[in-house]
Amino acid sequence: MLIDWPGVRARVLRLTPADHTWRELEAPLTPAELDAVQRQLGVELPADYQQFLLHVGRGGPGPFSGVLPVEHVDGEWRWRVDQDYDPNDLTNLAKPFPLRASDWRVAEDIENDCPDPFTFEPRNDYHDEWERWHDRHETTMFNPRRTHGALYICHEGDGLGEWLIVTGPERGNIWLDHRVDGRGMTPAWLPHHRRVTFGQWYLHWLGTAEGGRTGDRSGGPRRAG
C-alpha cells in the first residue's frame, strides 16, 4: 500500500481536536535525526513508521492517547510516555518479538487459577495463596522477554497500550497489550486484515476522525480472539 505521508500530515492538521487529551502534532524528524535514532537503537524501524516520523511528525494525534513522540533528552533518544511507568526497553529492540499468536489462553488460565477468598479459612491462608498466585501472574505475563523487539507507541489508559513490532516475524505489525485486565497480548486486526501494520493502524484512525467521530478517541483496530 503506497501512502502519501506528506498528505497525511496535511489531513491531520485539518482535524478539529477531539477533547483536552488531544496530542499536538509535532514536527517531523529530519533524516539525520532518524539516522541517529536508529543508530542508537541498533535496529531499522519499520518502513511506514519511518515515513510517519519523517513526513507526518515525531508524535501526534492518533488512536487513544495518540502516537507517543520520540525526543532527544540528555544525549539520548527516547519515547515520551507521559505516565509514571515506561514500558519500553530500548536495549532489547534487536531481539525478536517472541509471540506469534495471541496469548489470551495463557492469561485466561492464570486468571482462572486466582484463589477464591470464600474457600479459605482462616483468611491468612487466602492472602498467602493470593501472593503466590500474584507472583506467578507477574513473572509470567509481565516477563520483560515478552516485549523484546517491540516499541510501545500508544497507551490507551489504565495500563492498556499498543506496541509496534520492530524485530522478528511480526515486524511492522501492531499488537494490543491488555495484560492488566487479563486478556494478554494479541495482534490487532481489521476487517479483511488479520494483521495490521503501522500505516493501516494510523490511516484507520485518521479516516474515523475525518468522518466526524473525533469524540471516539480510539478509532483503532480491534483485538483478535
Side-chain angles (χ1 to χ4, degrees):
M1 178 175 60
L2 187 62
I3 300 173
D4 173 18
W5 287 108
V8 169
R9 178 175 175 85
R11 290 166 62 187
V12 174
L13 288 171
R14 287 195 293 267
L15 293 174
T16 301
D19 54 33
H20 70 281
T21 66
W22 186 264
R23 186 181 296 278
E24 293 297 323
L25 183 61
E26 303 198 18
L29 293 179
T30 66
E33 288 174 327
L34 178 59
D35 287 345
V37 170
Q38 295 185 125
R39 281 198 306 273
Q40 176 189 308
L41 299 177
V43 296
E44 185 175 301
L45 296 169
D48 53 357
Y49 183 50
Q50 289 187 48
Q51 293 301 304
F52 175 88
L53 294 173
L54 288 171
H55 299 293
V56 181
R58 63 189 65 202
F64 298 99
S65 68
V67 181
L68 299 177
V70 58
E71 60 183 2
H72 196 245
V73 178
D74 297 329
E76 291 188 341
W77 292 95
R78 68 182 187 188
W79 275 257
R80 190 194 317 145
V81 177
D82 300 334
Q83 59 186 21
D84 293 336
Y85 168 65
D86 183 357
N88 273 320
D89 178 4
L90 302 181
T91 64
N92 283 307
L93 277 181
K95 297 178 180 178
F97 181 67
L99 300 180
R100 302 292 181 271
S102 173
D103 64 354
W104 70 268
R105 291 189 184 278
V106 175
E108 183 179 63
D109 288 345
I110 294 176
E111 292 293 326
N112 288 340
D113 286 340
C114 184
D116 181 352
F118 297 104
T119 63
F120 284 84
E121 187 63 41
R123 296 277 296 180
N124 286 343
D125 290 347
Y126 162 73
H127 290 299
D128 290 343
E129 186 63 24
W130 187 88
E131 288 290 344
R132 285 191 287 271
W133 172 85
H134 183 261
D135 288 345
R136 176 191 168 208
H137 178 274
E138 296 298 295
T139 56
T140 301
M141 300 309 300
F142 291 93
N143 187 314
R145 289 192 295 271
R146 295 179 91 80
T147 54
H148 281 177
L151 182 64
Y152 191 80
I153 61 167
C154 173
H155 57 79
E156 302 176 12
D158 298 324
L160 309 178
E162 311 197 4
W163 297 78
L164 172 62
I165 310 307
V166 173
T167 308
E170 289 292 320
R171 172 179 165 81
N173 295 328
I174 298 290
W175 276 60
L176 310 182
D177 185 350
H178 293 170
R179 290 176 289 177
V180 297
D181 65 6
R183 292 184 288 162
M185 296 186 68
T186 191
W189 67 277
L190 290 167
H192 311 298
H193 297 283
R194 294 182 61 83
R195 290 293 192 272
V196 177
T197 66
F198 175 86
Q200 291 167 333
W201 175 79
Y202 196 77
L203 290 181
H204 178 77
W205 166 80
L206 181 55
T208 299
E210 289 175 324
R213 289 171 285 169
T214 52
D216 174 9
R217 292 188 298 115
S218 64
R222 306 171 185 176
R223 170 182 175 271

